[in-house]
Amino acid sequence: MTKTVQGSLDGETVRELAAGTEYETVASPRGDRLAQYHIKQGVAVPSPGRAEPAPEPKIAARKK
């Protein structure tokens, strides 16, 4: 975290996320979205040496 903010790592529990601390989000698409949200808000950066979360797969529409 680059700033101390109120936030969530699991999408349910809100708590203080302290600047200078590295957090793990839940291992799920929700956790990936939360991590990306914090990064886009400018209050977090990806950990060095960690891969970016994979984008969610898009489901192709069926042709009839």
Side-chain angles (χ1 to χ4, degrees):
M1 300 301 292
T2 58
K3 295 180 183 178
T4 298
V5 296
Q6 294 294 311
S8 177
L9 300 173
D10 62 6
E12 296 177 18
T13 306
V14 175
R15 64 185 188 140
E16 183 174 273
L17 303 173
T21 304
E22 184 175 309
Y23 294 98
E24 289 278 335
T25 59
V26 293
S28 70
R30 175 185 279 180
D32 293 342
R33 285 191 304 272
L34 287 167
Q36 289 303 314
Y37 171 79
H38 291 296
I39 292 166
K40 287 179 183 177
Q41 293 298 310
V43 299
V45 294
S47 285
R50 301 233 5 172
E52 290 289 318
E56 291 187 37
K58 295 183 180 178
I59 299 171
R62 284 186 172 174
K63 293 184 181 181
K64 292 184 179 183

